[in-house]
Amino acid sequence: MYVGIDAGASATKAVIVNKDGEIVSYAIVPSGINFKASSEGALTKALKLSDLSLEGLLYTVSTGYGRALVNAKSTSSEIICISRGIHKLFPLVRTIIDVGGQDSKAIRIAEDGRVLDFVMNDKCAAGTGRFLEVMSNILEKPIEELSKLHFKSSKPIKISSTCTVFAESEVISQISQGSEIEDVIAGLHEAVAERIYNMSSRIRFEKDVALTGGVAKNQGFVDALSKKIKLTPTLPEEPQIICAYGAALAAIKRHQEGVG
Amino acid sequence: MSLQKERSSVLQTTRKINELIMGHFSRAWDVKTQSKPIAWITVFTPVELLYALDVYPISPEHFGAMCSARGLVLDYLEQAEMGGYSENLCSYSRCGLGYTISGMNGLMPPPDILITFRNSCDVYVKWWQSLHAHLGTPLFLGEAPYVLTGADLGNYVLDYVVKQLEQLIKVIEEKFGLKFDMEKLVQTVKLSDKSSDLWLETLKLRRSKPCPLGGRDSASDIFPLVVMQGTDESVKFYEALFKEVKEKVDKKEGVIENERFRLLFDGIWLWHALDLIKYFEDKGAVFVYEPYSEAWAYRLDASKPLESIARKILAMGLNLDIDLRIESFLDSIKEFQVDAAVLFSNRSCKSWSAPQLVTADILSKEFNIPYLLFEADMADPRQYSEAQIKNRIDAFLEVLGEA
């Protein structure tokens, strides 16, 4: 068996695959501040789910912000891992939008899965999961509820600030002026979607488009982005583990090639 | 490995830079005690002319870069911000203003005259006017029009700058009771030209594979060209540098053993994060060409000294029409066998950052040169996110490796 571990800014993901690249089990745990602990936690959980032990693992590749802190044979960048993961699952995809906790990315890939071009957000948090986390705190609504409330909105409010800190005060003033919370939430989803659309437009946008990363689990955001890009993106069953899955696929390849 | 070590230069000659810079500043204080005039200048104000007039030039921009590289910049930035200057202003200007507001008790002696030639940078004039407002020191504002075609380097545009140089000479003569001596200017122009010639020849040696001189050296090696143009010391430095680099080429010694990628760096360096250059090198990527390093050298004609330095003020890269600039860029890509480009979008320098996407588009579409663009600030470490930038570098180099 082979393992990919994605130590991301918000969550750490471990995926175990067999030699054919089929997912055997996976686990997602919060990253906290200790990537070593979170990666061990995620792996232990994934092993338990598949009734495997450490001895059965042939090769581990780590990726994500904390990749250097994970106990793995080698590392790979998220861009390559996401592309590998998506290409294996959806060979027709040419553009991937990944929205994670701290980063968002748009990647264009070739027919054979090679990366042709990519862009990432600038260092600002707007357009990432962090933005929505901050807002969910202010609105005192858990992230899971944002999606439900989004679909109750009839007239989303336009959030004009792209800065997280400014948007925070904008949201507070909207609420204090009596705006409906669902309209504010839908407005926030639109703001993130717009930000990501602007960033992604710097690469050539080709069909099919896939959406990955933790934020892709928020149906409200997916709805806002689909409207913005005028396409229905391909959504993996569990969009949050694609990067770790790609790392696991890299582990198979590197083990065969005798890397590390 | 300590941070100091990560930043350290590769070449023996570069290690002498520190001594040269410190010598430059300590001499400034000597000059001050001898009651000779000190000029605070913006870069590309002709130091050749000032040395010839016996006016000692100090560059607050150079000072800003140096403070940032040594971890001393935050105090000055904060002083400026406490004084009401916005964090969104150029970090060099904030550093210089903070230094001024806090009493000028460091490396730069207070100025006797403030001189600027606005060429590429719109901040210069307002920055120098602000310094003038704080200090009351005499102010000379020169202006170099934007160069639209190569002809502007020889027509009325050039005449206009020459006239201003003549005016500057007159102002200095009258204010400080000094006498301009054309012979002295011819000498400094000759020395300046010699330094530029040597540096340009040294840069050409970077076309070799493996590249003998990388970013860790070029980032430091430019300083004699910034403030010491027209001095013997500067010439000696570039003679030694050329010799050392040439030897490396002859021995086929490169900055890194295993040269996987040859990179172009577009922008001013991130002075507070120079260790990034080593980060690239550890992954097999070496910087072989930077428009920034080249920008400091300009060949001068000692038979037409004033015209020559006027042309130098005008021809500064960012003051050129974008097509003229891109032309030289593209030639270099071929000559230096560049595989990919790293573009630093600098929050402080809008004139540098604004046209970067145009350049990037040409690079990728016409030359199939992939690029990495990231945002930070040249001198303000607070505008820099190390983990995020390293993450992008990793991804970029990994993708390059797969191509």
Side-chain angles (χ1 to χ4, degrees):
Chain A
M1 297 291 163
Y2 303 86
V3 185
I5 295 180
D6 172 16
S10 300
T12 299
K13 290 76 77 176
V15 173
I16 299 177
V17 298
N18 62 22
K19 63 176 186 353
D20 300 320
E22 290 157 356
I23 296 177
V24 176
S25 67
Y26 68 85
I28 303 170
V29 302
S31 287
I33 50 166
N34 186 343
F35 283 119
K36 203 173 170 329
S38 66
S39 59
E40 281 167 11
L43 182 58
T44 311
K45 222 170 155 185
L47 284 169
K48 215 174 202 172
L49 287 169
S50 55
D51 261 338
L52 285 164
S53 66
L54 277 172
E55 289 71 49
L57 305 176
L58 293 168
Y59 200 107
T60 305
V61 168
S62 65
T63 183
Y65 266 99
R67 62 191 174 281
L69 303 165
V70 174
N71 184 16
K73 272 233 172 75
S74 61
T75 63
S76 184
S77 70
E78 294 115 289
I79 301 286
I80 301 253
C81 290
I82 294 167
S83 308
R84 282 222 174 91
I86 280 293
H87 182 68
K88 174 91 178 171
L89 297 172
F90 307 101
L92 291 179
V93 167
R94 295 291 170 269
T95 310
I96 308 164
I97 297 174
D98 179 272
V99 189
Q102 190 163 298
D103 268 332
S104 42
K105 318 163 180 76
I107 312 166
R108 193 157 61 82
I109 58 176
E111 279 170 32
D112 60 0
R114 247 179 330 115
V115 176
L116 294 174
D117 202 357
F118 73 92
V119 282
M120 286 169 99
N121 62 310
D122 53 36
K123 69 190 182 69
C124 155
T128 71
R130 183 75 73 229
F131 180 84
L132 292 174
E133 267 174 41
V134 169
M135 298 309 155
S136 97
N137 277 338
I138 301 165
L139 298 170
E140 294 171 347
K141 298 282 170 207
I143 286 276
E144 301 72 46
E145 237 185 276
L146 294 185
S147 186
K148 271 185 226 150
L149 287 162
H150 171 94
F151 290 102
K152 288 193 183 144
S153 162
S154 51
K155 45 174 191 351
I157 284 190
K158 175 97 184 139
I159 305 290
S160 52
S161 300
T162 50
C163 167
T164 308
V165 180
F166 288 159
E168 198 175 321
S169 48
E170 205 175 324
V171 163
I172 292 167
S173 83
Q174 285 291 349
I175 296 289
S176 66
Q177 282 165 29
S179 297
E180 296 299 335
I181 193 157
E182 52 263 33
D183 291 335
V184 172
I185 288 167
L188 287 167
H189 286 148
E190 281 182 1
V192 176
E194 183 154 334
R195 184 88 178 180
I196 287 170
Y197 174 71
N198 290 347
M199 176 198 75
S200 310
S201 302
R202 268 162 58 187
I203 65 168
R204 219 169 51 231
F205 226 77
E206 271 176 47
K207 285 206 276 191
D208 288 351
V209 176
L211 189 55
T212 63
V215 181
K217 287 155 91 165
N218 175 338
Q219 285 301 322
F221 163 73
V222 177
D223 174 60
L225 186 73
S226 307
K227 283 178 184 148
K228 190 76 213 171
I229 63 175
K230 300 191 179 73
L231 277 171
T232 310
T234 305
L235 269 179
E237 209 177 296
E238 175 44 273
Q240 204 172 2
I241 61 161
I242 297 304
C243 188
Y245 175 56
L249 296 176
I252 301 175
K253 192 164 170 251
R254 289 181 187 181
H255 183 249
Q256 283 166 355
E257 291 167 356
V259 180
Chain B
M1 202 180 271
S2 76
L3 183 62
Q4 198 54 45
K5 179 107 185 181
E6 299 258 324
R7 282 178 186 170
S8 65
S9 53
V10 181
L11 302 167
Q12 293 298 327
T13 313
T14 308
R15 301 198 179 142
K16 293 180 199 148
I17 277 286
N18 192 38
E19 208 182 302
L20 273 183
I21 293 175
M22 286 307 144
H24 171 73
F25 284 114
S26 71
R27 238 180 350 267
W29 281 101
D30 294 344
V31 164
K32 190 80 190 170
T33 47
Q34 292 158 14
S35 303
K36 286 192 206 160
I38 300 274
W40 279 16
I41 58 157
T42 51
V43 297
F44 292 95
T45 293
V47 293
E48 299 87 353
L49 181 62
L50 299 178
Y51 280 121
L53 276 159
D54 219 10
V55 173
Y56 198 85
I58 290 280
S59 154
E61 286 155 273
H62 169 214
F63 175 74
M66 201 192 63
C67 288
S68 177
R70 288 165 196 234
L72 305 170
V73 77
L74 272 183
D75 271 357
Y76 299 134
L77 295 178
E78 281 165 6
Q79 288 286 345
E81 285 154 25
M82 282 190 281
Y85 288 100
S86 160
E87 224 180 289
N88 290 327
L89 294 172
C90 155
S91 50
Y92 283 166
S93 73
R94 271 180 290 141
C95 176
L97 286 160
Y99 180 78
T100 306
I101 294 170
S102 59
M104 296 175 285
N105 298 314
L107 285 172
M108 297 196 294
D112 299 292
I113 185 166
L114 297 158
I115 307 171
T116 180
F117 268 85
R118 191 214 63 81
N119 47 17
S120 57
C121 169
D122 291 319
V123 181
Y124 281 171
V125 174
K126 304 297 177 199
W127 176 10
W128 252 233
Q129 284 175 334
S130 305
L131 287 172
H132 173 68
H134 282 293
L135 298 166
T137 311
L139 171 69
F140 181 90
L141 293 180
E143 202 236 349
Y146 192 63
V147 173
L148 292 171
T149 71
D152 289 342
L153 296 172
N155 59 19
Y156 61 95
V157 174
L158 182 70
D159 295 341
Y160 174 58
V161 179
V162 171
K163 285 217 170 62
Q164 293 179 77
L165 288 173
E166 287 165 351
Q167 206 187 341
L168 173 63
I169 294 171
K170 209 187 263 171
V171 166
I172 289 174
E173 282 184 324
E174 283 169 9
K175 277 222 151 49
F176 304 110
L178 295 165
K179 189 84 198 93
F180 175 66
D181 177 351
M182 188 53 102
E183 258 321 291
K184 268 195 183 168
L185 180 62
V186 169
Q187 280 315 309
T188 57
V189 164
K190 275 185 187 163
L191 292 171
S192 168
D193 177 58
K194 184 77 189 149
S195 293
S196 285
D197 185 21
L198 285 162
W199 177 236
L200 290 172
E201 287 306 312
T202 309
L203 291 177
K204 276 186 200 156
L205 296 172
R206 300 172 85 186
R207 294 172 185 174
S208 314
K209 262 185 180 176
C211 178
L213 180 152
R216 277 189 285 157
D217 287 285
S218 64
S220 304
D221 291 341
I222 53 167
F223 285 114
L225 287 167
V226 180
V227 278
M228 294 170 70
Q229 277 284 45
T231 66
D232 276 324
E233 267 182 300
S234 165
V235 174
K236 281 191 193 121
F237 173 81
Y238 290 108
E239 276 171 352
L241 186 71
F242 177 79
K243 191 164 165 272
E244 189 184 351
V245 178
K246 182 76 178 59
E247 280 168 14
K248 286 209 162 251
V249 172
D250 294 340
K251 286 191 272 185
K252 295 204 181 311
E253 272 177 30
V255 179
I256 46 176
E257 263 176 40
N258 211 339
E259 197 171 275
R260 291 174 69 213
F261 312 113
R262 297 168 62 85
L263 305 180
L264 175 154
F265 183 85
D266 181 54
I268 299 174
W269 293 108
L270 286 83
W271 301 112
H272 51 92
L274 288 172
D275 55 310
L276 269 187
I277 302 172
K278 181 74 167 51
Y279 190 77
F280 275 98
E281 288 176 4
D282 287 343
K283 293 174 182 289
V286 63
F287 291 107
V288 297
Y289 176 71
E290 307 97 24
Y292 181 71
S293 302
E294 206 173 40
W296 301 99
Y298 195 76
R299 297 301 307 273
L300 300 175
D301 177 358
S303 69
K304 294 173 187 158
L306 275 184
E307 233 180 69
S308 221
I309 54 179
R311 199 172 285 126
K312 181 179 173 183
I313 297 172
L314 281 166
M316 187 261 169
L318 293 182
N319 200 48
L320 297 181
D321 187 72
I322 195 161
D323 288 343
L324 288 172
R325 191 166 134 71
I326 286 173
E327 220 171 274
S328 83
F329 220 80
L330 296 181
D331 287 344
S332 309
I333 297 241
K334 284 177 253 163
E335 289 164 2
F336 287 82
Q337 305 176 66
V338 169
D339 300 311
V342 176
L343 287 77
F344 161 37
S345 177
N346 185 345
R347 290 179 73 131
S348 273
C349 191
K350 314 293 182 202
S351 8
W352 200 305
S353 310
Q356 265 172 332
L357 276 180
V358 178
T359 322
D361 258 6
I362 295 175
L363 285 177
S364 67
K365 285 185 190 136
E366 285 178 31
F367 290 83
N368 207 16
I369 299 269
Y371 67 90
L372 169 74
L373 184 114
F374 67 85
E375 192 196 272
D377 187 273
M378 59 193 178
D380 190 342
R382 297 168 302 180
Q383 310 277 9
Y384 170 64
S385 169
E386 187 185 12
Q388 256 175 329
I389 286 177
K390 287 192 169 165
N391 201 21
R392 278 151 186 68
I393 295 172
D394 289 355
F396 182 64
L397 293 180
E398 206 176 328
V399 170
L400 269 187
E402 294 227 325

